[in-house]
Amino acid sequence: MDFFRSKADRAPAVDLKRLPRHIAIIMDGNGRWAKKRGMPRTAGHAAGAENFRTIATYCKEIGLEYLTVYAFSTENWKRPPDEVSAIMGLLKKYLLEAIGQMERDRVKMEFFGDLSPLTPELRQLCERTREISRHYEGCQVNICLNYGGRDELLRGAMNYAKDCLEGKADPNHLTQEQFGRYLFSRGVPDPDLVIRPSGELRLSNFLLWQSAYSEFYFTDVLWPDFSKVELHKAIAAYQNRDRRFGGV
Ligand code: IPE
Ligand code: IPE
Ligand code: MG
């Protein structure tokens, strides 16, 4: 078997031939990471954004096909305006840097979520990133931005209903596969592995439809500390699971 060992200590070996095709991560714990250090929550978001870059690059290096990250939920608007604008500012910074390196990295970038409440500048940056990387093959990174699983399902239902009214869809016949095309994740296989750092044991409205048969991995490590070693632990745990999909 072709085992891969990271240079980092304590990283369990991972079988590169049996990688999950799609890993999804709830990037949680930035605020607590900062608080532990006596820093403002926004410093935690900056550290979290930096870690996203590290982990996304690593996923590409090991040959992962799809990485989906939860960056900002439909519920995160409840946070203080200063914190929301700091997060949006970090996104802008990240996208500008990503655009500058796209030809080199060749990572295909997609966005899941309703981008319409974002500032026109940020929205345009998302569109540009999506457009430039549209034809890249290899790793695809999906950033969930103003994303909510329930919101996604409602939008899907509304668009499907519209298609029915316009005679483009038949309400008597709808398969799971057809409905999947009304979701932000259209064309992307379901996540095999969903990771949530920070000790919370919930989905918080993430990929409700798509995670029906995902394997879950929870850890107390906070997102800015979620290193390549932690990723190896999650993949190693996944590789020890028995996925039955309702069969025997
Ligand atoms: C995740 O970290 C980032 C976002 C939700 C945008 P948090 O900000 O939720 O960090 P904690 O959970 O408060 O520690
Ligand atoms: C989920 O984390 C959303 C993101 C990581 C972007 P939250 O911190 O918002 O989730 P709750 O409030 O703990 O459920
Ligand atoms: Mg949180």
Side-chain angles (χ1 to χ4, degrees):
M1 255 192 291
D2 180 16
F3 279 104
F4 179 79
R5 245 174 224 290
S6 121
K7 281 186 206 120
D9 291 336
R10 296 171 287 107
V14 156
D15 181 357
L16 278 189
K17 292 209 184 83
R18 291 193 304 121
L19 279 185
R21 278 188 81 190
H22 183 178
I23 296 180
I25 307 180
I26 301 173
M27 303 189 293
D28 195 20
N30 296 346
R32 280 164 282 171
W33 183 92
K35 196 174 169 206
K36 259 173 53 182
R37 286 162 179 75
M39 284 153 46
R41 291 178 58 84
T42 49
H45 295 309
E50 203 45 56
N51 196 45
F52 162 61
R53 198 195 303 272
T54 307
I55 292 295
T57 307
Y58 187 63
C59 285
K60 189 196 144 204
E61 278 168 23
I62 61 173
L64 188 78
E65 284 182 73
Y66 298 93
L67 173 70
T68 301
V69 292
Y70 206 2
F72 194 85
S73 75
T74 45
E75 287 73 37
N76 287 148
W77 298 104
K78 291 178 194 160
R79 297 186 177 205
D82 282 1
E83 181 170 343
V84 171
S85 43
I87 294 170
M88 296 302 160
L90 284 163
L91 273 160
K92 180 181 150 191
K93 180 169 169 274
Y94 172 80
L95 291 174
L96 281 170
E97 284 163 10
I99 287 171
Q101 296 175 356
M102 282 204 128
E103 268 308 308
R104 192 198 69 194
D105 291 347
R106 301 191 73 77
V107 167
K108 182 171 173 180
M109 307 261 296
E110 262 299 339
F111 297 88
F112 294 176
D114 171 25
L115 303 184
S116 63
L118 306 183
T119 61
E121 191 191 17
L122 194 51
R123 217 164 48 227
Q124 277 159 23
L125 276 176
C126 294
E127 294 304 340
R128 241 176 90 202
T129 317
R130 182 186 260 156
E131 195 47 46
I132 300 172
S133 67
R134 175 182 225 108
H135 301 294
Y136 292 167
E137 284 167 7
C139 191
Q140 174 169 337
V141 174
N142 308 305
I143 300 182
C144 297
L145 196 45
N146 188 29
Y147 173 88
R150 288 188 171 187
D151 182 62
E152 178 181 41
L153 290 166
L154 281 184
R155 281 168 196 281
M158 288 190 290
N159 287 326
Y160 173 69
K162 276 186 207 147
D163 278 356
C164 287
L165 288 171
E166 290 171 16
K168 294 183 198 154
D170 173 1
N172 294 306
H173 298 283
L174 176 64
T175 64
Q176 293 182 17
E177 203 234 319
Q178 284 164 343
F179 189 63
R181 287 188 218 131
Y182 288 88
L183 303 179
F184 293 122
S185 59
R186 67 190 72 88
V188 175
D190 289 341
D192 301 291
L193 172 62
V194 174
I195 299 173
R196 182 162 195 164
S198 94
E200 309 300 352
L201 306 179
R202 54 178 171 263
L203 271 179
S204 301
N205 209 2
F206 190 45
L207 303 179
L208 299 182
W209 171 275
Q210 299 84 345
S211 63
Y213 268 102
S214 302
E215 295 297 326
F216 289 92
Y217 181 84
F218 295 103
T219 169
D220 288 341
V221 172
L222 303 171
W223 171 248
D225 290 331
F226 188 91
S227 60
K228 296 173 194 174
V229 174
E230 299 303 326
L231 183 68
H232 270 234
K233 288 182 193 165
I235 297 174
Y238 166 84
Q239 291 184 335
N240 280 319
R241 305 271 177 91
D242 177 18
R243 301 185 79 189
R244 289 188 293 277
F245 298 97
V248 286

Short mmCIF file of all heavy atoms in Angstrom, two decimals, residues 198-222:
data_model
loop_
_atom_site.label_atom_id
_atom_site.label_comp_id
_atom_site.label_asym_id
_atom_site.label_seq_id
_atom_site.Cartn_x
_atom_site.Cartn_y
_atom_site.Cartn_z
N SER A 198 -13.16 22.44 17.38
CA SER A 198 -13.62 23.36 18.43
C SER A 198 -14.53 22.72 19.49
O SER A 198 -14.98 23.41 20.40
CB SER A 198 -14.31 24.60 17.85
OG SER A 198 -15.71 24.44 17.76
N GLY A 199 -14.79 21.44 19.40
CA GLY A 199 -15.52 20.75 20.46
C GLY A 199 -17.03 20.80 20.36
O GLY A 199 -17.71 20.13 21.14
N GLU A 200 -17.58 21.56 19.43
CA GLU A 200 -19.05 21.59 19.29
C GLU A 200 -19.50 20.36 18.52
O GLU A 200 -18.88 19.98 17.53
CB GLU A 200 -19.51 22.85 18.52
CG GLU A 200 -18.97 24.17 19.04
CD GLU A 200 -19.36 24.46 20.49
OE1 GLU A 200 -20.19 23.72 21.07
OE2 GLU A 200 -18.82 25.42 21.05
N LEU A 201 -20.59 19.76 19.00
CA LEU A 201 -21.06 18.51 18.38
C LEU A 201 -22.36 18.77 17.64
O LEU A 201 -23.41 18.27 18.00
CB LEU A 201 -21.23 17.43 19.45
CG LEU A 201 -19.99 17.16 20.32
CD1 LEU A 201 -20.29 16.10 21.36
CD2 LEU A 201 -18.80 16.73 19.46
N ARG A 202 -22.30 19.64 16.64
CA ARG A 202 -23.51 19.92 15.85
C ARG A 202 -23.11 20.37 14.45
O ARG A 202 -21.96 20.73 14.20
CB ARG A 202 -24.37 21.00 16.52
CG ARG A 202 -23.62 22.27 16.84
CD ARG A 202 -24.51 23.35 17.48
NE ARG A 202 -23.70 24.46 17.94
CZ ARG A 202 -23.28 24.63 19.19
NH1 ARG A 202 -23.61 23.76 20.13
NH2 ARG A 202 -22.53 25.67 19.53
N LEU A 203 -24.12 20.36 13.56
CA LEU A 203 -23.86 20.74 12.16
C LEU A 203 -24.00 22.24 11.94
O LEU A 203 -23.48 22.76 10.95
CB LEU A 203 -24.83 20.01 11.23
CG LEU A 203 -24.39 18.65 10.71
CD1 LEU A 203 -25.48 18.05 9.82
CD2 LEU A 203 -23.09 18.76 9.90
N SER A 204 -24.76 22.92 12.80
CA SER A 204 -24.97 24.37 12.64
C SER A 204 -25.38 24.74 11.20
O SER A 204 -24.82 25.67 10.61
CB SER A 204 -23.72 25.16 13.06
OG SER A 204 -23.39 24.88 14.40
N ASN A 205 -26.33 23.96 10.66
CA ASN A 205 -26.92 24.32 9.35
C ASN A 205 -25.95 24.12 8.17
O ASN A 205 -26.09 24.77 7.14
CB ASN A 205 -27.42 25.78 9.40
CG ASN A 205 -28.59 26.04 8.48
OD1 ASN A 205 -29.09 25.14 7.81
ND2 ASN A 205 -29.03 27.29 8.41
N PHE A 206 -25.01 23.22 8.32
CA PHE A 206 -24.02 22.98 7.25
C PHE A 206 -24.43 21.77 6.42
O PHE A 206 -24.72 20.70 6.96
CB PHE A 206 -22.66 22.71 7.91
CG PHE A 206 -21.48 22.67 6.98
CD1 PHE A 206 -21.30 23.61 5.99
CD2 PHE A 206 -20.49 21.69 7.14
CE1 PHE A 206 -20.18 23.58 5.15
CE2 PHE A 206 -19.38 21.65 6.32
CZ PHE A 206 -19.22 22.59 5.32
N LEU A 207 -24.47 21.89 5.12
CA LEU A 207 -24.66 20.78 4.18
C LEU A 207 -25.68 19.73 4.63
O LEU A 207 -25.38 18.54 4.64
CB LEU A 207 -23.30 20.11 3.90
CG LEU A 207 -22.19 21.03 3.36
CD1 LEU A 207 -20.89 20.25 3.17
CD2 LEU A 207 -22.58 21.69 2.04
N LEU A 208 -26.87 20.20 4.99
CA LEU A 208 -27.88 19.29 5.55
C LEU A 208 -28.26 18.16 4.58
O LEU A 208 -28.37 17.01 4.97
CB LEU A 208 -29.14 20.07 5.94
CG LEU A 208 -28.93 21.15 7.01
CD1 LEU A 208 -30.25 21.82 7.35
CD2 LEU A 208 -28.29 20.57 8.26
N TRP A 209 -28.46 18.51 3.34
CA TRP A 209 -28.83 17.52 2.32
C TRP A 209 -27.64 16.61 1.99
O TRP A 209 -27.75 15.39 1.93
CB TRP A 209 -29.31 18.26 1.06
CG TRP A 209 -29.54 17.42 -0.16
CD1 TRP A 209 -28.61 17.04 -1.08
CD2 TRP A 209 -30.79 16.86 -0.59
NE1 TRP A 209 -29.19 16.28 -2.06
CE2 TRP A 209 -30.53 16.16 -1.79
CE3 TRP A 209 -32.10 16.89 -0.10
CZ2 TRP A 209 -31.52 15.50 -2.51
CZ3 TRP A 209 -33.10 16.23 -0.82
CH2 TRP A 209 -32.81 15.55 -1.99
N GLN A 210 -26.50 17.24 1.81
CA GLN A 210 -25.33 16.53 1.28
C GLN A 210 -24.67 15.61 2.29
O GLN A 210 -23.92 14.71 1.93
CB GLN A 210 -24.28 17.56 0.79
CG GLN A 210 -24.76 18.48 -0.32
CD GLN A 210 -25.53 19.70 0.20
OE1 GLN A 210 -25.95 19.77 1.34
NE2 GLN A 210 -25.70 20.69 -0.67
N SER A 211 -24.90 15.84 3.59
CA SER A 211 -24.17 15.06 4.60
C SER A 211 -24.96 13.82 5.06
O SER A 211 -24.61 13.21 6.07
CB SER A 211 -23.83 15.93 5.81
OG SER A 211 -25.03 16.37 6.42
N ALA A 212 -26.00 13.46 4.29
CA ALA A 212 -26.86 12.33 4.70
C ALA A 212 -26.05 11.09 5.06
O ALA A 212 -26.36 10.41 6.04
CB ALA A 212 -27.85 12.01 3.58
N TYR A 213 -25.01 10.79 4.29
CA TYR A 213 -24.19 9.61 4.59
C TYR A 213 -22.72 9.93 4.82
O TYR A 213 -21.85 9.08 4.64
CB TYR A 213 -24.37 8.55 3.49
CG TYR A 213 -25.48 7.59 3.87
CD1 TYR A 213 -26.75 7.69 3.29
CD2 TYR A 213 -25.28 6.63 4.85
CE1 TYR A 213 -27.77 6.85 3.68
CE2 TYR A 213 -26.29 5.77 5.25
CZ TYR A 213 -27.54 5.89 4.64
OH TYR A 213 -28.55 5.06 5.04
N SER A 214 -22.45 11.17 5.22
CA SER A 214 -21.05 11.54 5.50
C SER A 214 -20.58 10.90 6.79
O SER A 214 -21.37 10.69 7.71
CB SER A 214 -20.93 13.06 5.65
OG SER A 214 -21.37 13.70 4.48
N GLU A 215 -19.28 10.68 6.87
CA GLU A 215 -18.66 10.30 8.13
C GLU A 215 -18.30 11.59 8.86
O GLU A 215 -17.89 12.56 8.23
CB GLU A 215 -17.39 9.48 7.87
CG GLU A 215 -17.64 8.15 7.20
CD GLU A 215 -18.47 7.20 8.05
OE1 GLU A 215 -18.34 7.25 9.29
OE2 GLU A 215 -19.27 6.44 7.48
N PHE A 216 -18.47 11.59 10.18
CA PHE A 216 -18.18 12.81 10.96
C PHE A 216 -16.92 12.63 11.80
O PHE A 216 -16.65 11.55 12.31
CB PHE A 216 -19.36 13.16 11.86
CG PHE A 216 -20.54 13.65 11.07
CD1 PHE A 216 -21.52 12.77 10.64
CD2 PHE A 216 -20.65 14.98 10.73
CE1 PHE A 216 -22.58 13.22 9.86
CE2 PHE A 216 -21.70 15.45 9.96
CZ PHE A 216 -22.69 14.56 9.53
N TYR A 217 -16.20 13.71 11.93
CA TYR A 217 -15.01 13.70 12.80
C TYR A 217 -15.04 14.99 13.62
O TYR A 217 -15.02 16.09 13.08
CB TYR A 217 -13.73 13.65 11.96
CG TYR A 217 -12.47 13.62 12.79
CD1 TYR A 217 -11.97 12.42 13.31
CD2 TYR A 217 -11.78 14.80 13.08
CE1 TYR A 217 -10.82 12.40 14.08
CE2 TYR A 217 -10.63 14.78 13.86
CZ TYR A 217 -10.16 13.58 14.35
OH TYR A 217 -9.01 13.56 15.12
N PHE A 218 -15.12 14.81 14.94
CA PHE A 218 -15.14 15.96 15.84
C PHE A 218 -13.86 15.98 16.68
O PHE A 218 -13.37 14.93 17.08
CB PHE A 218 -16.35 15.87 16.79
CG PHE A 218 -17.68 15.96 16.09
CD1 PHE A 218 -18.45 14.81 15.86
CD2 PHE A 218 -18.17 17.18 15.65
CE1 PHE A 218 -19.69 14.90 15.21
CE2 PHE A 218 -19.40 17.27 15.00
CZ PHE A 218 -20.16 16.13 14.78
N THR A 219 -13.35 17.17 16.90
CA THR A 219 -12.16 17.29 17.77
C THR A 219 -12.26 18.59 18.56
O THR A 219 -12.88 19.56 18.11
CB THR A 219 -10.85 17.27 16.95
OG1 THR A 219 -9.77 17.65 17.80
CG2 THR A 219 -10.89 18.25 15.79
N ASP A 220 -11.63 18.59 19.75
CA ASP A 220 -11.64 19.79 20.59
C ASP A 220 -10.67 20.86 20.10
O ASP A 220 -10.72 22.00 20.54
CB ASP A 220 -11.27 19.43 22.04
CG ASP A 220 -12.39 18.67 22.73
OD1 ASP A 220 -13.54 18.74 22.24
OD2 ASP A 220 -12.12 18.00 23.74
N VAL A 221 -9.77 20.47 19.21
CA VAL A 221 -8.78 21.44 18.69
C VAL A 221 -9.51 22.61 18.04
O VAL A 221 -10.50 22.40 17.33
CB VAL A 221 -7.87 20.74 17.65
CG1 VAL A 221 -6.96 21.73 16.95
CG2 VAL A 221 -7.06 19.63 18.32
N LEU A 222 -9.06 23.83 18.29
CA LEU A 222 -9.71 25.01 17.70
C LEU A 222 -9.19 25.21 16.27
O LEU A 222 -8.04 24.88 15.98
CB LEU A 222 -9.43 26.24 18.57
CG LEU A 222 -9.89 26.09 20.03
CD1 LEU A 222 -9.38 27.26 20.88
CD2 LEU A 222 -11.42 25.98 20.13
#
